[in-house]
Amino acid sequence: MDSLVEIDDDTVLTEYLVDMLHKIFDPLPVPMILIDKDSKVRMINQVFADFLGYPKSYIIGKPVAEIDKNTRFPFVLKTKKSEIAWKHKFGNGRTAIVHRIVVLDEQGEVKYAVGMVLFEDLDQFKDIIEKNKLLENEVHLYKSQLKEMYGAKYSWDTIIGNSPKMSQTKFIAKRAAQSISNVLILGESGTGKELFAHAIHNDSARNHMPFVKVNCAAIPSELLESELFGYEEGAFTGAKKGGKIGKFELANGGSIFLDEIGDMPLKMQAKLLRVLQEREFERVGGNRTVKIDLRVIAATNKDLQRLIAEGKFREDLYYRLNVMTIEIPPLRERVEDIEEITIKLMEKLSNQLGIYVPKISKKALELLKSYSWPGNVRELENVLERAINLTETDTILPIHLPLYITQNKRKIDPNSIDSLQNLLEQTEREAIKSCLEYTNGNKLKTAKILNISRTNLYSKIEKYGLE
């Protein structure tokens, strides 16, 4: 009968089995060790013995603390909790990344523990970590670039405003997102038509597929066809070898956003109509039919019905696009949203500019609400960016706003036009008053900002009763 190597009261291993374990684990390049419940070494492979600097015959049967004075195995066996990928400094001064894995029986009692050295050299571990980080960064970069090129970035949360008109617009847009129909977005420049297009795609069943954007007004008419539908090799002088895939093929399975559709040439409108009807097209210079499955989201700030009357837009294309129509209200028709939009834009611009300006005065906000905003949200963003760059505090004041906004509320009656002198004095008084508010009454600073002498400032303060 084989001699026995005792592991615990209930389990024994024959020398034959121990020998088999050594034969299995010795060839492995990973240092491994087997500890019993009494913290004694029962098996260790050759590479680990070499790492520790002892003969295997010396290690076997010894308490693990005699082999490694810094061992944590007694603690691990006591707590019954494994330790994964721990940094450990051995008694011989070497540092490595290790596993300590506890093996329990059916009753949850400790049977033994297995130790493994993952990295014998921390420099090797750091090198792998750095390479892994580099790989992750590259993958993240490629994903970001793909998302930027062919993905929708915005969602409903990006669209700010809960006024009655905007709430109604969002409701219709969300219903449109759940349909498979084409969408036509109408609205003045700067109202956020592209935001709605992104949100509609992201909320649709196609959200995992490409979202391709095309600005019909930005591409020369002679290049628009090849840009939309691609071209075959040799289709024209300068054509890329192997041809080029068009935007419609890139968007296959997803959505294509045709911005400024009202500026599309009539010739291209006819080709687009066929694509919408037949769901197929040919590349420029090719004769192979390309089948596609996508949803068209079009947008324009033009009056398409007027363009139809003028013969500049095809009526049949209009009705093909005008299935789910979303009309975005201009900012002047949703004054209730201006404060919320302003705060959100200030947060965004503060992060972009690195200038923390979280507050706006009540009077400055009232001035923003009283302005008509022909450029809509885009114009508001530009005004706030200018204001943030001008302020030296954490608050936007009227003095930081353009004159065409601060003087917007004062309307002159044509029947009682004041003298030029009086108008100049009114403007001067308002400028001094705003500057004093900005400097918290600091007259020296106010005079410096207004580029006048302190004596002159005192004189004007007295004149206009601004004390």
Side-chain angles (χ1 to χ4, degrees):
M1 184 175 178
D2 291 327
S3 59
L4 303 178
V5 179
E6 191 173 316
I7 297 292
D8 57 37
D9 294 337
D10 302 317
T11 306
V12 294
L13 289 176
T14 64
E15 288 183 354
Y16 170 76
L17 289 177
V18 172
D19 184 57
M20 284 299 296
L21 285 174
H22 282 290
K23 286 181 179 180
I24 292 170
F25 290 110
D26 271 345
L28 296 179
V30 179
M32 298 187 70
I33 192 170
L34 179 69
I35 308 295
D36 66 19
K37 67 176 184 178
D38 297 319
S39 299
K40 292 183 178 179
V41 179
R42 292 307 177 188
M43 190 284 297
I44 187 169
N45 63 356
Q46 189 61 52
V47 68
F48 203 173
D50 294 341
F51 178 85
L52 295 172
Y54 297 104
K56 283 175 60 176
S57 58
Y58 174 79
I59 296 173
I60 299 295
K62 288 268 192 312
V64 68
E66 290 186 21
I67 308 302
D68 174 21
K69 64 181 181 180
N70 298 327
T71 184
R72 286 179 55 85
F73 270 115
F75 176 77
V76 167
L77 292 168
K78 183 179 180 180
T79 61
K80 303 180 184 180
K81 291 183 180 180
S82 299
E83 296 178 343
I84 306 298
W86 276 59
K87 179 181 176 182
H88 180 68
K89 186 172 183 179
F90 289 88
N92 59 9
R94 300 183 68 174
T95 303
I97 303 298
V98 303
H99 286 339
R100 304 181 189 93
I101 303 170
V102 179
V103 179
L104 307 175
D105 61 18
E106 293 83 354
Q107 286 74 41
E109 298 301 320
V110 174
K111 293 284 285 184
Y112 49 87
V114 177
M116 291 193 304
V117 175
L118 276 74
F119 298 98
E120 300 177 31
D121 186 345
L122 278 188
D123 290 334
Q124 176 193 17
F125 177 65
K126 290 176 182 177
D127 184 53
I128 290 175
I129 292 295
E130 289 302 319
K131 287 180 179 178
N132 186 55
K133 283 184 179 177
L134 181 62
L135 181 60
E136 286 181 353
N137 289 340
E138 288 179 354
V139 170
H140 179 71
L141 176 63
Y142 294 144
K143 284 184 177 179
S144 297
Q145 289 175 339
L146 285 172
K147 184 74 173 176
E148 176 69 23
M149 292 172 64
Y150 306 123
K153 298 183 292 184
Y154 309 114
S155 64
W156 300 120
D157 293 336
T158 316
I159 302 172
I160 304 165
N162 295 297
S163 61
K165 283 195 173 183
M166 190 50 113
S167 296
Q168 177 68 10
T169 303
K170 284 183 184 178
F171 171 78
I172 296 171
K174 288 178 180 180
R175 294 300 295 268
Q178 301 308 312
S179 76
I180 61 172
S181 303
N182 295 326
V183 178
L184 179 60
I185 305 175
L186 304 175
E188 296 177 5
S189 178
T191 51
K193 296 185 292 295
E194 185 172 342
L195 294 182
F196 272 87
H198 281 251
I200 288 169
H201 173 79
N202 265 335
D203 197 26
S204 73
R206 298 176 182 266
N207 59 16
H208 61 289
M209 300 301 286
F211 176 80
V212 178
K213 299 165 287 185
V214 181
N215 188 320
C216 300
I219 304 172
S221 58
E222 62 272 14
L223 298 178
L224 189 56
E225 182 177 4
S226 60
E227 189 69 21
L228 290 178
F229 306 121
Y231 58 80
E232 299 290 354
E233 182 177 344
F236 49 83
T237 303
K240 186 189 296 184
K241 185 177 180 181
K244 179 185 175 183
I245 190 170
K247 301 294 188 184
F248 271 83
E249 280 185 83
L250 285 172
N252 196 21
S255 305
I256 187 166
F257 175 47
L258 301 177
D259 198 9
E260 307 296 351
I261 190 76
D263 294 292
M264 180 177 281
L266 279 169
K267 179 182 175 183
M268 279 305 304
Q269 291 179 31
K271 291 182 179 293
L272 175 60
L273 179 63
R274 177 178 175 247
V275 173
L276 295 180
Q277 290 173 335
E278 307 297 332
R279 298 290 169 176
E280 63 182 33
F281 62 89
E282 293 87 33
R283 289 185 181 182
V284 176
N287 51 23
R288 180 177 63 87
T289 299
V290 179
K291 299 281 187 180
I292 55 167
D293 170 32
L294 50 72
R295 195 239 289 263
V296 173
I297 304 174
T300 183
N301 59 4
K302 303 284 180 69
D303 184 345
L304 292 184
Q305 291 185 330
R306 181 176 61 81
L307 293 180
I308 291 170
E310 295 173 355
K312 296 178 181 178
F313 200 85
R314 292 182 63 106
E315 188 173 16
D316 47 5
L317 176 59
Y318 171 73
Y319 288 115
R320 178 65 65 173
L321 292 171
N322 189 28
V323 180
M324 295 293 293
T325 303
I326 300 164
E327 296 186 46
I328 305 176
L331 193 54
R332 63 182 172 276
E333 293 181 9
R334 53 188 189 106
V335 177
E336 311 97 304
D337 294 331
I338 288 179
E339 182 172 358
E340 184 182 1
I341 294 171
T342 297
I343 298 303
K344 290 291 184 182
L345 287 176
M346 287 172 62
E347 290 176 5
K348 170 188 168 185
L349 291 167
S350 290
N351 290 330
Q352 288 179 353
L353 301 173
I355 307 172
Y356 186 59
V357 182
K359 293 184 283 188
I360 181 169
S361 73
K362 185 177 180 180
K363 185 173 181 180
L365 190 59
E366 288 173 356
L367 288 169
L368 295 183
K369 289 181 178 181
S370 68
Y371 181 61
S372 61
W373 299 110
N376 293 291
V377 178
R378 188 179 294 126
E379 183 185 5
L380 174 59
E381 183 171 359
N382 291 340
V383 166
L384 291 172
E385 182 173 352
R386 173 187 185 273
I388 289 173
N389 278 309
L390 288 176
T391 184
E392 295 178 355
T393 66
D394 64 352
T395 305
I396 293 177
L397 301 172
I399 195 173
H400 303 129
L401 302 177
L403 284 175
Y404 65 83
I405 291 179
T406 58
Q407 296 181 6
N408 181 58
K409 292 183 71 175
R410 187 176 67 253
K411 300 189 182 297
I412 299 174
D413 183 354
N415 297 319
S416 58
I417 296 178
D418 208 343
S419 68
L420 178 61
Q421 180 63 34
N422 286 341
L423 290 174
L424 290 173
E425 288 181 355
Q426 288 176 30
T427 302
E428 185 177 57
R429 183 182 186 281
E430 288 182 13
I432 294 172
K433 183 180 178 184
S434 295
C435 200
L436 284 168
E437 290 176 357
Y438 169 64
T439 61
N440 293 320
N442 188 318
K443 297 181 178 61
L444 179 61
K445 194 172 183 180
T446 299
K448 187 175 181 181
I449 292 174
L450 295 174
N451 197 25
I452 60 176
S453 68
R454 192 161 39 162
T455 303
N456 195 6
L457 175 63
Y458 281 121
S459 174
K460 292 181 182 296
I461 288 174
E462 183 179 356
K463 176 182 177 181
Y464 297 128
L466 295 175
E467 278 290 359

PDB file of all heavy atoms in Angstrom, residues 68 191 310 451 453 457:
ATOM      1  N   ASP A  68       7.955  31.965   3.716  1.00  0.00           N
ATOM      2  CA  ASP A  68       7.726  33.367   3.363  1.00  0.00           C
ATOM      3  C   ASP A  68       7.205  34.082   4.603  1.00  0.00           C
ATOM      4  O   ASP A  68       6.048  33.914   4.992  1.00  0.00           O
ATOM      5  CB  ASP A  68       6.710  33.467   2.203  1.00  0.00           C
ATOM      6  CG  ASP A  68       6.320  34.903   1.888  1.00  0.00           C
ATOM      7  OD1 ASP A  68       7.088  35.827   2.251  1.00  0.00           O
ATOM      8  OD2 ASP A  68       5.248  35.110   1.272  1.00  0.00           O
ATOM      9  N   THR A 191     -32.970  76.871 -34.211  1.00  0.00           N
ATOM     10  CA  THR A 191     -33.999  76.382 -33.289  1.00  0.00           C
ATOM     11  C   THR A 191     -33.693  74.984 -32.759  1.00  0.00           C
ATOM     12  O   THR A 191     -34.337  74.527 -31.811  1.00  0.00           O
ATOM     13  CB  THR A 191     -35.378  76.363 -33.973  1.00  0.00           C
ATOM     14  OG1 THR A 191     -35.280  75.676 -35.222  1.00  0.00           O
ATOM     15  CG2 THR A 191     -35.891  77.770 -34.202  1.00  0.00           C
ATOM     16  N   GLU A 310     -42.925  78.616 -56.480  1.00  0.00           N
ATOM     17  CA  GLU A 310     -41.924  79.273 -57.328  1.00  0.00           C
ATOM     18  C   GLU A 310     -41.234  78.299 -58.272  1.00  0.00           C
ATOM     19  O   GLU A 310     -40.357  78.691 -59.043  1.00  0.00           O
ATOM     20  CB  GLU A 310     -40.885  79.964 -56.446  1.00  0.00           C
ATOM     21  CG  GLU A 310     -41.446  81.122 -55.614  1.00  0.00           C
ATOM     22  CD  GLU A 310     -40.436  81.668 -54.627  1.00  0.00           C
ATOM     23  OE1 GLU A 310     -39.320  81.087 -54.520  1.00  0.00           O
ATOM     24  OE2 GLU A 310     -40.745  82.667 -53.952  1.00  0.00           O
ATOM     25  N   ASN A 451     -13.180 104.446 -18.913  1.00  0.00           N
ATOM     26  CA  ASN A 451     -12.089 105.226 -19.507  1.00  0.00           C
ATOM     27  C   ASN A 451     -12.338 106.744 -19.363  1.00  0.00           C
ATOM     28  O   ASN A 451     -12.169 107.505 -20.314  1.00  0.00           O
ATOM     29  CB  ASN A 451     -11.902 104.855 -20.981  1.00  0.00           C
ATOM     30  CG  ASN A 451     -10.541 105.316 -21.509  1.00  0.00           C
ATOM     31  OD1 ASN A 451      -9.583 105.491 -20.753  1.00  0.00           O
ATOM     32  ND2 ASN A 451     -10.471 105.534 -22.820  1.00  0.00           N
ATOM     33  N   SER A 453     -11.981 110.113 -16.219  1.00  0.00           N
ATOM     34  CA  SER A 453     -11.318 110.440 -14.955  1.00  0.00           C
ATOM     35  C   SER A 453     -12.293 110.250 -13.797  1.00  0.00           C
ATOM     36  O   SER A 453     -13.518 110.291 -13.988  1.00  0.00           O
ATOM     37  CB  SER A 453     -10.825 111.890 -14.980  1.00  0.00           C
ATOM     38  OG  SER A 453     -11.938 112.782 -14.983  1.00  0.00           O
ATOM     39  N   LEU A 457     -16.252 111.224 -13.422  1.00  0.00           N
ATOM     40  CA  LEU A 457     -17.258 110.244 -13.008  1.00  0.00           C
ATOM     41  C   LEU A 457     -18.104 110.798 -11.866  1.00  0.00           C
ATOM     42  O   LEU A 457     -19.343 110.689 -11.879  1.00  0.00           O
ATOM     43  CB  LEU A 457     -16.580 108.942 -12.574  1.00  0.00           C
ATOM     44  CG  LEU A 457     -17.522 107.879 -11.993  1.00  0.00           C
ATOM     45  CD1 LEU A 457     -18.534 107.423 -13.035  1.00  0.00           C
ATOM     46  CD2 LEU A 457     -16.720 106.691 -11.455  1.00  0.00           C
TER      47      LEU A 457
END
